[in-house]
Each structure stands twice: as C-alpha cells, then as structure tokens.
Amino acid sequence: MVDVTVWNEFRHEREDEAVAAAYPDGIHETIADALDDEHDVGTATLDELDHGLTDDVLEATDVLLWWGHEAHDEVTDSVVDRVHDRVLEGMGFIALHSSHYAKPFKRLMGTSCSLQYREDGGTERLWVVDPGHPIADGLDGSIELPETEMYGEPFDVPEPDRQVFISWFEGGEVFRSGCCYRRGNGRIFYFRPGHETYPIYEHAAIRRVLRNAVEWASPPEGSPRTFGERT
Amino acid sequence: MVDVTVWNEFRHEREDEAVAAAYPDGIHETIADALDDEHDVGTATLDELDHGLTDDVLEATDVLLWWGHEAHDEVTDSVVDRVHDRVLEGMGFIALHSSHYAKPFKRLMGTSCSLQYREDGGTERLWVVDPGHPIADGLDGSIELPETEMYGEPFDVPEPDRQVFISWFEGGEVFRSGCCYRRGNGRIFYFRPGHETYPIYEHAAIRRVLRNAVEWASPPEGSPRTFGERT
Amino acid sequence: MVDVTVWNEFRHEREDEAVAAAYPDGIHETIADALDDEHDVGTATLDELDHGLTDDVLEATDVLLWWGHEAHDEVTDSVVDRVHDRVLEGMGFIALHSSHYAKPFKRLMGTSCSLQYREDGGTERLWVVDPGHPIADGLDGSIELPETEMYGEPFDVPEPDRQVFISWFEGGEVFRSGCCYRRGNGRIFYFRPGHETYPIYEHAAIRRVLRNAVEWASPPEGSPRTFGERT
Amino acid sequence: MVDVTVWNEFRHEREDEAVAAAYPDGIHETIADALDDEHDVGTATLDELDHGLTDDVLEATDVLLWWGHEAHDEVTDSVVDRVHDRVLEGMGFIALHSSHYAKPFKRLMGTSCSLQYREDGGTERLWVVDPGHPIADGLDGSIELPETEMYGEPFDVPEPDRQVFISWFEGGEVFRSGCCYRRGNGRIFYFRPGHETYPIYEHAAIRRVLRNAVEWASPPEGSPRTFGERT
C-alpha cells in the first residue's frame, strides 16, 4: 500500500469540449482510478491553494505522478522547491507525457528536456527493451496505441539509469519513452504516453505500467530522509 | 521468502587450522545462518558432484551467493555456463570478497576484475555512498571492520550501475566495495568484505548487508525467463 | 593517424554470388576503403593463420573492427583471449552488425547479446539520439537506409554508457543501433548497420560513422597498458 | 588550442591575509597559469559586470572552470541561465572544490550536491580508479596532498558517468573526488581538490589534471549548438 498523489494541471478538461469528452472528471481521476484498487490515492490540481501540494500533502506522499501541459509556468517556484526536496528525501516522482517540460522534472534532470513532436494521430508501438525490469512486469513485448501525438529524438535528458521502453511511430520516428533515474534518495520515471484527447490512460497495458511504476518508485521501508548532513 | 543457495569453495576450512577456527562449519554455513531466519537457504560446495549446482538446484534458486578463493580454476566451464545462463534469466548473483576472480563473476563482467591487495590486518571502514539504496537499508553511515585484508584500486570492472559502498583502509587505500549491476534479467552485487580467517561474516552490519542484498537481488514476481527469442 | 585493423570472416563473399556482387573484394576491403584516407589500415580474415590476428598484429593495432556472421564458432579461443586482453589494455573494438554474436564481443559484454531479426529488406532510419557525441559528428538528424535486415529489441546487452543511435524499421520495430562501452582501458562501439548483400558500407553517412567511431575508440596518447598489478 | 575562461569568486583573496599569501593574484590567476602554455585563457570574477560572463565571453568559451565558496548566492540567476544554456550547447564546465554548491553546478546536477566536511589539514590521497581515462593521462596511481580540508560521503550527486578519482583522507573518510558527466552536448567534470589557503593549485599533478580535464571537456570540432528543435 503506497501513498500516491496524482497531480494534474486540470485546465484543458475545463476549457475544451474534446478533452472534457475524453476525460470528463479530469485526467487525474482517470489515473487515480488505475491505481486505487491497490494504493491509497489522492489528487491535487494547479488551481488549488499551493497547487494542492502543501507540506502536509507531500510529507504524506510516497509517489507523486505529474501531468502538466499548457501552464507549466504557473507552477510557483516555492512548490517546485518543495517537490524537489521531497524527491531528494526519497519520494518517487513519475512525469507523464508533456510533463517533460514540467518545472520539477526539469529541475531534477538539469537539462532542457526538449524533444521533437508532431500532432498526427499516428500509431505508436512501445517496445519493452528491459523485460526483466519491474516496470515491465506482466507486459507483452510491446504495447500498441492506435492514435497518438508523436514525440521524437533527440530528447535532451541525462542518459537514463535504465531504459525500459523505446517507442516506434508510424510516421518514422523513435523515442525513449520510459526512462528511469535516481536523484538523492528518490526514484524518477518519465513515461511518454498520454494526451489530453486520446484516451491513453484507459488502455489496460498503460494502466499496468502506471501501477508497476508506482511500486517501483516507492521508497524502501525505513529509508533515510536526509543526505549529507554536516559533520 | 527467497530461495537462496550459498556456494563455498570449502577448501581452506578443511586444510588450515586458523580458518577452521574462524569458520568451523565452513564459510557457507556462517553465511547461511545470517539468512535463514528470513529465507529458504541451501548450500553447495566445490567438491560435491557438479559443485552442488545441478540444473535442478539452479532452477530452484532465486539468489546465489558465491565465495571462492584458491580453486577458481577447478570450477568446470559447464557449471559456469549454467550459472551464467540462470543469471541472464533472472537469478540474482552475489559475489563475495575474493570471488572477484570467480569464473561466473568474470564471465558476467567481461573484464579482468583485477585489483591490488595486501594482507595486513588493518582497519577497514565501509562508507555508505548511496544511503537511499535498498542494500544500505538500516545501516549507519559507515561500517568499521577492525582487521581486514586490504583491496585497492584500480578495480577492473565495468562502471557500476550503482555504487553503494566505498571502503577506506588504514594503510592508505580506497576500494569500491559494493557494486550493483544488471545483466540480462539478473541483478548482480559484488561485496568486498569477507576473509577466511577474520570472522567478517559474524559482524552484525555485514550480515544485515547480506540480507538486504538477497532481497534486492531476488527477481521480481512473474519476471520473464527468456530474452531475445527469434521472431 | 590511427593504426586500424579490419577483421572479416570473408566466407559469404567466396561462397555466394549475390554477396560477391555486393562486395567483390570482401567486406573488409570496402570498410578499409572508408578509412584509409585518414588512417593506417590493415585487414585480417578468418582463414589466415591465427585468423590474421597474431600478437604482433594486435600489439600494433589501435582500433580493431570486426565483421562475422556464419562462422563465429570457428574463431579459436586463444585468439579471443588475445583480442580481449588487448581491449582491456586499451585497444578500441568496433563490432559490426551480426558481430553482436562474435565471441570477443560476447566476452566483453558478459550477456547473451541476443536480439530479434527478420530478413525483409525494409527501410531503416537511424536516429541520432546524442547529437553532441563525437561518433555523430557531421551527421544530419537521421540516416536512411532503403533496404536492410531488421534487428529488434530486446537486445540483451549491458545498459550502454552512451546511446548514440536508435533505429526505426519500416516493419514496426526499434533497435539500439549504436552503443558505447568502456571495459578496462578500451573503448567499444557496437554499430548495427551492415549486411552481406545490401551495400550498406558504401553509404556515405555510414562511412562517416565508421571514421568517427575509429577516432573515438582510439586510445589516448600515452595511456597505460596495465590494470591492477599486485602491490 | 582551447578557449578557456577561469571564473573565480575572488573575495577571500582580498579579505583575508592568509588567502592573499597563498594566492596573491587570486586563485583564478594560479589556475590560468597552469593552462596558458597550451590554451587561450581568460579570467572572470564575481564583482565584474555580469560577473565577467557576458554573452560574448561565454560564446567564445570552450571550457569554463569555476571556483566559488562564500558568495554562491550573489551569482545572479540570469548569469546562471546563460552558463547553463552554453553547457547544454556544448561548452565544457569544470567545477572545483567548494563549487559543488555553485548555482550552475547544482542546476546541472539536479540534486542538493551536499557532502560532509571537516577543516583539519590532514593528508589526502587521490586514487586513480579509471587509469585509461583521458583525465588520468600521465598520472601515477595516486596523488598525495599533504594538507587539505576533508570532504566526505555521502555526496548527493547523480551517479557519475565515469568515476576518475576517489580520495582517501587521513581522518578516516573517502570521497568521489573526480566525477564526469554529460548534459545536453556539454561535458562536466567535478574535481574536489582546491582550497583558499592550502596551495593545492601549485601542485604539479593537480595542474596536470586541470590541463587534462580542459582537453577532455572541450567540445568536438563542428559539434551542434542546438538540441531538440521543433519539427
């Protein structure tokens, strides 16, 4: 039982009918629904006080999932500081899709996190390149998503500790879609799939990955909260 | 509950009184004793048929610990092949002390695994450099061993995936004493401490590391046994 | 000016008319031709004495390129030992295409090096995922090869130190086509393109990669030849 | 010939007689003196306009060395942004000693970069753990510094791409003293030695490391300046 918080920008769903149709309760609720059979799941959104990420919420969170897209800049630096500190203490952090540009992810990576993209609704196939990794547990050799936005290389991130997925796109591109990192005591997973109109987070195999990633990213029992105190 | 096999060369203990005094039942029994409260532990030794590592034994082993020193060359290549295959399938492998030169470890590393050493009985201090790693769970910042054989750099192994421990030696050297790797589906941990006359495996913190390492190296539930079959 | 040796199995070219048409002087001569404007290039083949890789030849080689396919098993273990030792001393090693199963490459990797494949003559596009890497110097964002044999994931190799290329295949697969490693003092590059009938090594961008890889893999001036001597 | 800029806080030397005695012209001039036989070296300091790091200066810099200690917070964020951008474009960055807490280094690492320390003037011995690395070129197996400030683990940085040095300290600690990274197109080296009163940068072997590190960190000829433009 892991204490999970699903964070969502939650703007597209309230501004755009197509998005509201795909995710009527918000992307966060669909993701939470994929996790709450096994875990204790809360949600938080941009327009709540402190974006819903108070000290108390973060203190009680083992793994934070993050979905942002059009309003990365509205996330205040004090909340970014707080999230960053908690990851270094040991909280898991899972950045989804367009959250490659989310402030906490960029802070953790130290790079621009830029990539290529094209909105073309083509097919994506995610290949499992590390079949023994816990995040690939229970999956077949690949996951096919019939309609997606394309993300292409080069993806400006540090060389991943473990590469779990690489995507093939119908239009001719590839992308490192599942990347594992450790920073401080915290585990970080970037997972590409997800979009505001394609119902990616309803897909059974994608939901399985989210559950596996939450298990993998949760801190070990009794792990330390500090790093590098002074002698 | 992990199925563990502790493999020991078991020669020094039968040839040398000082070693027999330190490990009267063999190093394998002392290591097994550190693990068998929590796990299902068997042992195997060089002079058994197939060195005690038949297909059936390996098939039923989740994590194999290995202690060898003076008779690395007597391990037959067919057993090395079998151990190597099982690690790539997902069996964990923990190489202890002088097993840096064990055939299965060298096969997995692809390097000479050479190092410097000096028998001087000086103090060693193992520093935890990755306090959030599961293998460091429950440890203080360092472990002190009053009398040890010195191992020094350069240690010719591939750059570890994670460095958990670095040792300080009274005589002026350092050594990368706890190194994590993944090869195929299997997890590998090299752990330096251990010697045939100093009773290192009776030390409480060292026993804690062995237990943590067994947990870390055990394959995830339902992980695949194959890698790279033909299309 | 780097001392290069290009090793080729040189069997297909003498047994099969289609291969002889693509590479009339042998694959090794086509590769040597891509390199000898800038470097001092020799060749060696399987059916020469010691496979053309005597101590003297290896001693004088800075970078060894290797192309093998149908006769990996005929390479004698004593030559494999010699190549392996020289790589650990600092000689660069570039494994091409089907040489993922070459004995020296498998020895260096420590894994099965297995992969998926399909002979279908489809298009391959190699994406540069690390544009600042010396091996990608002077390339565009991707290299397109109109007809190739497909290689697919999972590719059972250790996580690369640097991933330079990832391939997209028309048939729906991806592959980690350019992988950098260090073992001992030596630099290793696996490069997927190449086939006995498609004239891949005549392609200008592929020839550029071969030249870049030779530069990258050559040992630094005055680097040590030893590792881990005894105190 | 590499275009080098040596940046120094240059406060201690003007405030403290002991520091002025060790480095009468400033630490930057002593470092520049170690490099300018081979390279085109300029300097820049905190109290210059834009800390001496204008767009023009950075545009013309291949490798930037950084020494800061008591005034990290006075470095303006706009200069940090500029340095960070240039590293991702390909400029090398060498962080010295207490610059583990420098803003540009922390930005690139994404971690707290905290460590243990003790001002005790004890002996430090830097062991070369990667003797084939270009930064270790021409060095013996270790470098001894008779009087240093101790830095100890855990050092909260991402797992280095290559570990070149590990330090042994007389007082009982170890430290990962030479750490290589790639971020974007840029190469980064953290090098521990250096202090405001001990004349570390006069030591011949340390000066050799600085020269080697500048060579290693300089961008390859014709490398790209961009990463991840939009399709």
Side-chain angles (χ1 to χ4, degrees):
Chain A
M1 190 77 147
V2 176
D3 288 308
V4 178
T5 300
V6 181
W7 191 89
N8 181 18
E9 204 175 87
F10 198 32
R11 289 275 177 86
H12 288 297
E13 300 92 328
R14 295 181 295 158
E15 293 165 353
D16 183 315
E17 281 183 28
V19 183
Y23 292 107
D25 301 314
I27 287 173
H28 51 297
E29 293 297 344
T30 302
I31 293 171
D33 180 65
L35 302 171
D36 64 9
D37 278 0
E38 296 173 20
H39 301 299
D40 193 350
V41 183
T43 64
T45 58
L46 180 64
D47 292 326
E48 294 173 56
L49 184 68
D50 274 342
H51 315 320
L53 299 173
T54 60
D55 278 332
D56 287 352
V57 166
L58 288 172
E59 187 67 20
T61 299
D62 292 319
V63 179
L64 176 64
L65 294 99
W66 191 280
W67 200 99
H69 185 217
E70 61 168 345
H72 295 311
D73 286 350
E74 296 183 39
V75 177
T76 62
D77 287 339
S78 63
V79 169
V80 175
D81 289 346
R82 206 180 282 166
V83 168
H84 186 237
D85 286 350
R86 271 293 289 140
V87 174
L88 299 183
E89 277 183 359
M91 182 180 74
F93 185 77
I94 299 173
L96 295 167
H97 191 59
S98 44
S99 306
H100 67 96
Y101 272 151
K103 282 184 178 179
F105 185 67
K106 291 178 68 178
R107 176 83 65 90
L108 286 160
M109 294 294 103
T111 56
S112 72
C113 301
S114 64
L115 48 79
Q116 320 277 333
Y117 64 88
R118 187 178 56 238
E119 262 294 6
D120 66 359
T123 297
E124 173 179 8
R125 198 177 291 169
L126 287 110
W127 288 93
V128 175
V129 303
D130 187 1
H133 196 283
I135 292 179
D137 189 36
L139 301 179
D140 293 333
S142 65
I143 301 172
E144 188 155 324
L145 301 173
E147 284 186 301
T148 60
E149 178 184 20
M150 186 282 292
Y151 276 17
E153 295 281 343
F155 183 24
D156 181 20
V157 284
E159 196 81 18
D161 295 344
R162 300 299 302 178
Q163 189 71 53
V164 183
F165 301 105
I166 297 177
S167 286
W168 174 96
F169 291 94
E170 192 180 358
E173 286 85 2
V174 297
F175 193 73
R176 289 173 290 167
S177 284
C179 300
C180 296
Y181 299 93
R182 277 278 309 280
R183 291 297 181 264
N185 294 328
R187 288 181 174 81
I188 300 155
F189 184 56
Y190 173 77
F191 189 49
R192 195 206 90 81
H195 187 263
E196 59 277 15
T197 56
Y198 308 121
I200 305 289
Y201 298 126
E202 302 285 3
H203 191 288
I206 297 299
R207 290 163 82 91
R208 177 67 188 255
V209 173
L210 295 176
R211 286 195 297 273
N212 289 347
V214 163
E215 291 278 355
W216 172 82
S218 63
E221 284 287 321
S223 65
R225 296 220 141 195
T226 55
F227 218 112
E229 289 152 300
R230 303 290 152 74
T231 305
Chain B
M1 190 77 147
V2 176
D3 288 309
V4 178
T5 300
V6 181
W7 191 89
N8 181 19
E9 203 175 87
F10 197 32
R11 288 277 176 84
H12 288 296
E13 300 92 328
R14 294 182 295 159
E15 294 165 352
D16 184 315
E17 282 183 28
V19 183
Y23 292 108
D25 302 313
I27 287 173
H28 51 297
E29 292 297 344
T30 302
I31 292 171
D33 180 65
L35 302 171
D36 64 8
D37 279 0
E38 295 175 20
H39 301 300
D40 194 350
V41 183
T43 64
T45 58
L46 180 64
D47 292 327
E48 295 174 55
L49 184 68
D50 275 343
H51 315 320
L53 298 174
T54 60
D55 278 333
D56 286 353
V57 166
L58 287 173
E59 187 66 21
T61 299
D62 292 318
V63 179
L64 177 64
L65 295 99
W66 192 279
W67 199 98
H69 185 218
E70 62 168 343
H72 295 310
D73 286 348
E74 296 182 39
V75 177
T76 63
D77 287 339
S78 62
V79 169
V80 175
D81 289 345
R82 204 179 284 165
V83 169
H84 186 236
D85 287 351
R86 273 292 291 139
V87 174
L88 299 184
E89 277 183 358
M91 182 180 73
F93 184 78
I94 299 173
L96 296 168
H97 190 59
S98 43
S99 306
H100 66 97
Y101 272 151
K103 282 183 178 181
F105 185 67
K106 290 178 70 177
R107 176 83 65 89
L108 287 160
M109 295 293 103
T111 56
S112 72
C113 302
S114 64
L115 48 79
Q116 321 276 334
Y117 64 87
R118 188 178 55 237
E119 263 294 6
D120 65 359
T123 296
E124 173 179 8
R125 198 177 291 169
L126 287 110
W127 286 95
V128 176
V129 303
D130 188 1
H133 197 284
I135 293 180
D137 189 36
L139 301 179
D140 293 334
S142 65
I143 301 172
E144 188 155 323
L145 300 172
E147 283 187 301
T148 60
E149 178 185 19
M150 184 284 291
Y151 276 16
E153 296 281 344
F155 183 23
D156 181 20
V157 284
E159 195 81 19
D161 296 344
R162 302 299 301 179
Q163 189 71 52
V164 183
F165 300 105
I166 297 177
S167 285
W168 174 96
F169 291 94
E170 192 180 358
E173 287 84 3
V174 296
F175 193 73
R176 288 173 290 167
S177 283
C179 300
C180 296
Y181 298 93
R182 276 280 306 281
R183 290 297 181 265
N185 294 328
R187 287 181 175 80
I188 299 155
F189 184 56
Y190 173 77
F191 189 50
R192 195 205 90 81
H195 186 264
E196 60 276 14
T197 54
Y198 308 121
I200 304 289
Y201 298 126
E202 303 285 3
H203 190 289
I206 298 298
R207 291 164 82 91
R208 176 67 187 256
V209 173
L210 295 176
R211 286 195 298 273
N212 289 346
V214 163
E215 291 278 354
W216 172 82
S218 64
E221 283 288 322
S223 65
R225 294 222 141 194
T226 56
F227 218 111
E229 289 152 300
R230 303 290 153 74
T231 305
Chain C
M1 191 77 149
V2 176
D3 288 308
V4 179
T5 300
V6 181
W7 191 89
N8 181 19
E9 203 175 87
F10 198 33
R11 289 275 177 87
H12 289 297
E13 300 93 326
R14 296 182 294 159
E15 294 165 352
D16 183 316
E17 282 183 28
V19 183
Y23 292 107
D25 301 313
I27 287 173
H28 51 297
E29 293 297 344
T30 302
I31 292 171
D33 180 66
L35 303 171
D36 64 10
D37 279 0
E38 296 174 20
H39 301 300
D40 195 351
V41 183
T43 64
T45 58
L46 180 64
D47 292 326
E48 294 174 57
L49 184 68
D50 275 343
H51 316 318
L53 298 174
T54 60
D55 277 333
D56 286 353
V57 166
L58 288 173
E59 187 66 20
T61 299
D62 292 320
V63 179
L64 176 65
L65 294 98
W66 192 279
W67 198 99
H69 185 215
E70 62 169 344
H72 295 310
D73 285 349
E74 296 183 39
V75 177
T76 61
D77 287 339
S78 62
V79 169
V80 176
D81 289 346
R82 206 180 283 165
V83 169
H84 186 236
D85 286 351
R86 273 292 289 138
V87 174
L88 299 184
E89 276 183 0
M91 181 180 73
F93 185 78
I94 300 175
L96 296 168
H97 191 59
S98 43
S99 305
H100 67 96
Y101 272 150
K103 282 184 178 180
F105 185 66
K106 290 177 69 178
R107 177 82 66 89
L108 287 160
M109 294 294 103
T111 55
S112 72
C113 301
S114 64
L115 48 78
Q116 320 277 334
Y117 64 89
R118 187 177 56 237
E119 263 294 6
D120 66 358
T123 297
E124 173 180 7
R125 197 177 290 169
L126 287 110
W127 286 94
V128 175
V129 303
D130 187 2
H133 197 284
I135 293 180
D137 190 35
L139 301 179
D140 292 334
S142 65
I143 301 172
E144 188 155 325
L145 301 173
E147 284 187 300
T148 60
E149 178 185 20
M150 184 283 291
Y151 276 16
E153 296 281 345
F155 183 23
D156 181 21
V157 284
E159 195 82 19
D161 296 345
R162 301 299 301 180
Q163 189 72 53
V164 183
F165 301 105
I166 296 177
S167 286
W168 174 96
F169 291 94
E170 193 180 357
E173 286 85 4
V174 297
F175 193 72
R176 287 172 292 165
S177 283
C179 301
C180 297
Y181 298 93
R182 277 278 309 281
R183 291 295 181 266
N185 293 328
R187 288 181 175 80
I188 299 155
F189 184 56
Y190 172 77
F191 189 49
R192 193 205 92 80
H195 186 263
E196 60 276 14
T197 54
Y198 308 121
I200 304 290
Y201 298 125
E202 303 285 4
H203 191 289
I206 298 298
R207 291 164 82 90
R208 177 67 188 256
V209 173
L210 295 176
R211 287 195 298 274
N212 290 347
V214 163
E215 291 278 356
W216 172 82
S218 64
E221 284 288 320
S223 65
R225 293 221 144 193
T226 55
F227 219 112
E229 290 152 301
R230 303 289 153 74
T231 305
Chain D
M1 191 78 149
V2 177
D3 288 308
V4 178
T5 300
V6 181
W7 191 89
N8 181 17
E9 202 174 88
F10 197 34
R11 289 278 177 84
H12 289 297
E13 299 93 327
R14 296 182 294 158
E15 293 165 352
D16 183 316
E17 283 182 27
V19 183
Y23 292 108
D25 301 314
I27 287 173
H28 52 297
E29 292 297 344
T30 301
I31 293 171
D33 180 65
L35 302 170
D36 64 9
D37 279 0
E38 297 175 19
H39 301 300
D40 194 352
V41 183
T43 63
T45 57
L46 180 64
D47 292 326
E48 294 174 55
L49 184 67
D50 275 343
H51 314 320
L53 298 173
T54 60
D55 278 332
D56 286 352
V57 166
L58 287 173
E59 187 66 21
T61 299
D62 293 318
V63 179
L64 176 64
L65 294 99
W66 193 279
W67 200 98
H69 186 216
E70 62 169 341
H72 295 310
D73 285 349
E74 295 182 39
V75 177
T76 62
D77 287 338
S78 63
V79 169
V80 176
D81 290 345
R82 206 180 281 165
V83 169
H84 186 237
D85 286 351
R86 274 292 289 138
V87 174
L88 299 183
E89 277 183 0
M91 181 180 74
F93 185 77
I94 299 174
L96 296 167
H97 191 59
S98 44
S99 306
H100 66 95
Y101 272 151
K103 282 184 178 180
F105 185 67
K106 291 178 68 177
R107 176 82 66 90
L108 286 159
M109 294 294 104
T111 55
S112 72
C113 301
S114 64
L115 49 78
Q116 321 276 334
Y117 64 88
R118 186 177 57 237
E119 263 294 7
D120 65 0
T123 297
E124 173 179 8
R125 197 177 291 169
L126 287 110
W127 287 94
V128 175
V129 303
D130 188 1
H133 196 283
I135 293 180
D137 190 34
L139 301 180
D140 293 333
S142 65
I143 301 171
E144 188 155 325
L145 301 173
E147 283 187 301
T148 60
E149 178 184 20
M150 184 284 289
Y151 276 16
E153 295 281 345
F155 183 24
D156 181 20
V157 284
E159 196 81 19
D161 296 344
R162 300 300 300 180
Q163 189 72 52
V164 183
F165 301 105
I166 296 177
S167 286
W168 174 96
F169 291 94
E170 191 180 359
E173 285 85 3
V174 297
F175 193 72
R176 288 173 291 167
S177 282
C179 300
C180 295
Y181 298 93
R182 277 278 308 280
R183 291 296 181 265
N185 294 327
R187 288 181 175 82
I188 300 156
F189 184 56
Y190 173 77
F191 189 50
R192 194 206 91 81
H195 187 263
E196 60 277 15
T197 55
Y198 307 121
I200 305 288
Y201 299 125
E202 302 285 4
H203 190 290
I206 297 298
R207 290 163 82 91
R208 176 67 188 255
V209 172
L210 294 177
R211 286 195 298 274
N212 289 346
V214 163
E215 291 279 355
W216 171 82
S218 64
E221 285 288 321
S223 65
R225 295 222 142 193
T226 54
F227 219 112
E229 289 152 302
R230 302 289 153 74
T231 306

